[in-house]
């Protein structure tokens, strides 16, 4: 099997049998080391910006109807981690909805979402009982630690 360096920890990662056939216009394989899984090759920044600026917002009614079912499944899997106490959450790639509807009051919610329409929709969903900070790039996040880091 092909091996490359892990993008996170630098250890050797092996190519798996799994792939995404039309990811940024070409076939990309999943690689795995001991602690991480990722797609390779990684698209360059301009390809990522082009992709996220052209996708339709995920807050449209058709998408949201499908997402509600997905959100219900996610909630059932993670509800034991989100008690009634306030937590801090970093969500990478929340789309136009993210975990916002299922977060407990007092939560600090930080989201990194490159699509401008999705960011606008997240702002509209902002609850008074959740502290929300939104960014379009990960390197702009101004927090040192979180209780949870998620990317679905």
């Amino acid at each position: 099997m092909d091996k490359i360096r892990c993008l996170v920890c630098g250890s050797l990662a092996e190519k798996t049998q799994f792939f995404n056939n039309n990811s940024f216009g070409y076939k990309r394989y999943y690689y795995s080391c001991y602690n991480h899984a990722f797609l390779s090759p990684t698209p360059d920044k301009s390809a990522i910006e082009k992709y996220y600026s052209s996708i339709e917002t995920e807050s449209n009614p058709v998408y949201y109807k499908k997402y509600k079912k997905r959100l219900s499944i996610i909630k059932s899997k993670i509800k034991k981690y989100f008690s009634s106490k306030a937590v801090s959450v970093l969500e990478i790639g929340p789309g136009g909805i993210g975990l916002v509807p299922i977060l407990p009051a007092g939560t600090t919610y930080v989201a990194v979402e490159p699509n401008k329409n999705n960011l606008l929709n997240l702002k509209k969903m902002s609850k008074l009982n959740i502290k929300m900070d939104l960014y379009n790039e990960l390197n702009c996040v101004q927090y040192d630690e979180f209780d949870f880091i998620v990317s679905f």
Side-chain angles (χ1 to χ4, degrees):
M1 287 200 142
D2 295 333
K3 292 184 180 186
I4 61 173
R5 292 278 172 199
C6 174
L7 302 172
V8 178
C9 67
S11 63
L12 282 179
E14 291 189 2
K15 185 178 184 180
T16 69
Q17 65 183 351
F18 304 105
F19 61 90
N20 189 328
N21 202 30
N22 191 19
S23 179
F24 291 93
Y26 50 92
K27 190 174 192 176
R28 297 170 61 214
Y29 281 89
Y30 282 93
Y31 284 75
S32 175
C33 70
Y34 295 108
N35 298 307
H36 307 102
F38 57 93
L39 282 166
S40 185
T42 304
D44 63 28
K45 186 174 180 174
S46 65
I48 292 171
E49 288 172 351
K50 180 180 177 186
Y51 174 81
Y52 280 107
S53 66
S54 65
I55 62 173
E56 184 178 341
T57 180
E58 295 164 354
S59 59
N60 73 52
V62 174
Y63 178 85
Y64 187 70
K65 185 176 180 181
K66 293 176 188 175
Y67 188 81
K68 281 174 60 175
K69 182 176 180 181
R70 179 179 173 210
L71 192 60
S72 175
I73 293 167
I74 292 170
K75 184 177 182 178
S76 71
K77 302 283 185 197
I78 65 174
K79 68 181 174 186
K80 65 183 175 186
Y81 303 108
F82 290 159
S83 63
S84 58
K85 72 177 187 114
V87 294
S88 61
V89 177
L90 169 62
E91 186 170 15
I92 301 171
I97 303 163
L99 297 177
V100 174
I102 63 172
L103 295 174
T107 294
T108 298
Y109 177 73
V110 178
V112 179
E113 172 57 52
N115 182 281
K116 292 176 186 172
N117 291 330
N118 288 339
L119 278 175
L120 290 172
N121 195 64
L122 284 167
K123 285 180 187 174
K124 291 177 192 172
M125 292 182 66
S126 179
K127 300 177 185 178
L128 294 176
N129 56 359
I130 291 178
K131 180 181 186 283
M132 185 182 287
D133 287 324
L134 306 173
Y135 301 93
N136 63 353
E137 289 188 26
L138 188 57
N139 62 354
C140 295
V141 174
Q142 300 172 0
Y143 291 79
D144 292 329
E145 60 183 56
F146 297 92
D147 296 316
F148 301 97
I149 299 174
V150 296
S151 180
F152 294 107

